[in-house]
Amino acid sequence: MALSTMRQATQRHPKLLDQVRETIRRKHYSIRTEAAYVDWIKRYIFFHNKNHPAEMGAKEIEQFLNHLAVQKHVAASTQNQALSALVFLYREVLKKDFEWMDNLERAKKPERLPVVLTEDELRHVLAHLDGRNWLMASLVYGSGMRLMECVRLRIKDVDFEYRQITVRDGKGQKDRVTMLSESSSAVLKHHLERVRLMHQKDLADGYGQTYLPYALERKYKNASREWAWQYVFPATKISRDPRSGEMRRHHVDEKSLQRAVKGAVRAARIDKAATCHTFRHSFATHLLKNGHDIRTVQELLGHKDVSTTMIYTHVLNKGGRGVRSPLDA
């Protein structure tokens, strides 16, 4: 009888981390956010000797975040992610609000200009990429997409006739439209022909499913197998979905392009800390350099505020904000 009561209590009150996962999924957060939030909550609990968060509050949160900034010297973005995870825990899961943390020691966010490659440098980097990596890098630069926006691109969101790409659920869960470059259009068409053959084989083998966001899979029963919903850059292998357990072909791992770009920058002998995101920075800078309106560039990038886009105007200024050195006079 006692065992039955314990089981009923467990069913009524699931473990804290299970509650966190359930709440995250109900709010349609990504699996990456889920993994990050659960990890930070675990660290917070272990930092306070496994005390339950319901028995703690603002004081303990301050201690943990100050420890990250002062002892661990984490970046401002890392501390902010930890704070977001804990705010989510208290407000969304435990339904507790807390007074603002006045004594929080904020990690300093460095004010740095973005790394930008010249047109010539970009051509050299792209020349050291091939196949899928060349195509993905060309799309990131030619369309100004973020790396994950490119990786998650679906067939239905590429419009060859209008030469445009619809970016779904970008930063801030906003959709936007950007251009599809003419130079990568023909290569992309050829790439999709090979992807279609792979998808047809998957269907013949009894697979062919892909992940659908939110409740679309329940609403449209067969959409997960339809060609339009497949990823433009699918993974090489079918794998088990960690949430549903279904066997699906997910999108390619973004790390493969990150490694390839790092190697290409090294091979091109470019002494800049260039990454995949540098292609997006270069896209914006080169558009402004070519005389395009900053509001247009803002829309193509998906920036909420034009002040974010303004940073690229500073990149265009020559050293000393365009002032001529007296040595050159």
Side-chain angles (χ1 to χ4, degrees):
M1 188 72 177
L3 183 60
S4 174
T5 304
M6 287 174 63
R7 284 176 178 168
Q8 289 175 1
T10 302
Q11 291 172 355
R12 286 196 304 268
H13 304 289
K15 292 180 179 179
L16 178 65
L17 293 181
D18 290 335
Q19 293 179 55
V20 172
R21 293 186 183 97
E22 181 184 344
T23 307
I24 286 174
R25 294 174 189 184
R26 189 172 66 248
K27 290 184 171 292
H28 308 300
Y29 286 21
S30 72
I31 195 166
R32 293 166 183 272
T33 302
E34 177 182 325
Y37 278 20
V38 168
D39 181 60
W40 280 120
I41 292 167
K42 280 182 181 178
R43 292 194 199 186
Y44 171 63
I45 293 170
F46 277 93
F47 179 78
H48 288 293
N49 300 315
K50 299 184 181 180
N51 287 332
H52 197 284
E55 300 169 0
M56 300 186 285
K59 178 184 174 183
E60 287 78 12
I61 293 175
E62 285 178 6
Q63 290 172 350
F64 177 63
L65 295 175
N66 288 344
H67 167 75
L68 293 178
V70 179
Q71 272 77 45
K72 294 294 185 180
H73 305 290
V74 300
S77 58
T78 302
Q79 190 196 43
N80 286 335
Q81 187 185 63
L83 175 58
S84 298
L86 297 179
V87 168
F88 180 88
L89 169 66
Y90 279 93
R91 288 184 178 164
E92 305 295 340
V93 181
L94 299 177
K95 303 299 180 184
K96 288 177 63 178
D97 213 339
F98 43 83
E99 63 272 20
W100 183 245
M101 294 161 284
D102 296 322
N103 300 320
L104 178 60
E105 189 76 29
R106 285 281 187 173
K108 291 184 179 180
K109 188 174 183 179
E111 295 183 8
R112 295 196 180 103
L113 291 176
V115 176
V116 172
L117 297 177
T118 65
E119 289 93 332
D120 191 50
E121 287 173 334
L122 264 162
R123 282 192 290 270
H124 278 84
V125 172
L126 290 173
H128 286 88
L129 295 170
D130 54 21
R132 184 186 65 194
N133 289 327
W134 179 91
L135 181 57
M136 291 179 72
S138 296
L139 285 177
V140 172
Y141 171 56
S143 305
M145 288 187 288
R146 297 176 178 89
L147 172 60
M148 291 310 301
E149 291 171 347
C150 177
V151 166
R152 292 171 177 158
L153 191 62
R154 310 253 184 180
I155 306 293
K156 66 182 183 62
D157 295 322
V158 179
D159 191 325
F160 288 102
E161 186 173 346
Y162 284 98
R163 289 268 167 80
Q164 66 182 30
I165 292 172
T166 303
V167 178
R168 306 286 183 185
D169 274 338
K171 197 170 184 179
Q173 294 187 318
K174 294 183 297 183
D175 293 355
R176 73 179 190 278
V177 175
T178 186
M179 76 277 282
L180 170 62
S181 66
E182 186 176 349
S183 56
S184 58
S185 183
V187 181
L188 181 56
K189 282 182 179 179
H190 185 63
H191 166 79
L192 290 180
E193 289 174 6
R194 297 196 303 271
V195 174
R196 186 189 285 274
L197 290 175
M198 183 172 65
H199 178 57
Q200 289 172 346
K201 185 178 185 305
D202 285 348
L203 290 172
D205 292 341
Y207 299 108
Q209 283 194 59
T210 193
Y211 165 77
L212 291 187
Y214 312 135
L216 288 175
E217 193 165 18
R218 292 194 300 273
K219 189 175 181 181
Y220 305 110
K221 297 293 184 182
N222 298 317
S224 64
R225 288 184 170 84
E226 290 177 3
W227 167 242
W229 281 98
Q230 303 304 306
Y231 289 111
V232 171
F233 299 105
T236 54
K237 295 181 180 179
I238 293 172
S239 58
R240 190 174 300 278
D241 188 296
R243 286 181 171 174
S244 68
E246 297 280 350
M247 295 299 291
R248 292 170 172 163
R249 190 178 291 278
H250 204 51
H251 58 65
V252 67
D253 188 346
E254 73 279 8
K255 292 185 179 65
S256 61
L257 180 60
Q258 289 172 329
R259 286 192 293 265
V261 167
K262 186 176 180 180
V265 170
R266 191 186 304 115
R269 297 184 178 181
I270 294 172
D271 299 323
K272 292 182 180 179
T275 65
C276 293
H277 206 64
T278 302
F279 291 174
R280 176 174 157 89
H281 292 322
S282 303
F283 164 84
T285 306
H286 297 166
L287 284 182
L288 291 171
K289 181 183 175 183
N290 293 333
H292 291 281
D293 179 72
I294 193 166
R295 292 287 181 180
T296 302
V297 177
Q298 176 193 356
E299 289 180 11
L300 291 171
L301 291 172
H303 286 162
K304 183 178 180 181
D305 197 310
V306 72
S307 62
T308 309
T309 319
M310 286 290 289
I311 193 171
Y312 299 109
T313 63
H314 299 305
V315 176
L316 285 172
N317 288 329
K318 295 180 181 179
R321 294 192 174 272
V323 177
R324 185 176 176 84
S325 169
L327 186 62
D328 298 328

